Amino acid sequence: MKHNLLTLVVLICSGIAHAQSWQGQIGINLATLPGRSIELTTAWSPDLNRWALVASAGYTYQNHASRIPSGYLCDCGLSAINTSGASAKVGARIDAIRTVKPTTRIGLPIGVLLIGSQYDQNATIRSFPSGQDIFSTQSASGFIMGLGVTAAMNIRFSPRWNMDLGLQKFIGLSKRTDYLLFDKYMTYQPGIGLTNWDTFWPGIQGIATLNYRFHSR
């Protein structure tokens, strides 16, 4: 019993010591805030200057972003398309510049993500089949997964503060088919960005993430 307890203590201490050798940071993506979407990020690595395991979680509330494709005609009007939902991302990144020059102020992290996006989307539709306005609501909800590729310029302000400026591009693993009337519209997908599911146009989301580093060498 004493031997087992001692072994357990040694393993726990070893794990804590190993964890303490890792660097960590948290951040918030300022680029998504104007679209009523908050996204918190985190990164962990023995050396954040070179590579990291990354994760993020976000929530979107009633995002109004939508665009009617050119040449699309219908006998209706959409007074609003609103999107709410949550998203989560996990992946890894490597810094193309700091793998060679780890102390340089400007880095170029490139990453790959697995993205899960939950959504609740609705549109208020105005039609006039008999000359009178009739308003109705169409809605869609569900969960999708896909891959994301990120590229950003990382600017180091101090040992504690840095910022990522770049883009995330979505690569869908499947196509959404749950739209009704507004299937051809480009709308916002939580954690993914603006996407046209009718043509499977890839989502693009901005990155302007302000990061705070917990531990630095």
Side-chain angles (χ1 to χ4, degrees), residues 119 140-141 144 174-180 183 197-198 200:
Y119 58 92
S141 62
I144 61 169
S174 61
K175 180 179 177 180
R176 271 185 62 179
T177 59
D178 58 355
Y179 280 93
L180 298 173
D183 60 340
W197 293 97
D198 180 66
F200 211 32

Side-chain angles (χ1 to χ4, degrees), residues 20-23 45-50 159 213 215-217:
Q20 287 179 339
S21 70
W22 280 51
Q23 299 171 320
S45 171
D47 189 349
L48 280 175
N49 293 326
R50 290 185 168 92
R213 186 170 295 188
H215 173 74
S216 61
R217 294 173 179 171

Side-chain angles (χ1 to χ4, degrees), residues 29 39 54-57 87-91 113-116 168 191-192 205:
N29 189 358
E39 185 173 274
V54 297
S56 68
S87 64
K89 309 174 189 181
V90 293
L113 300 168
L114 177 65
I115 303 175
Q168 170 196 284
I192 292 173
Q205 179 171 284

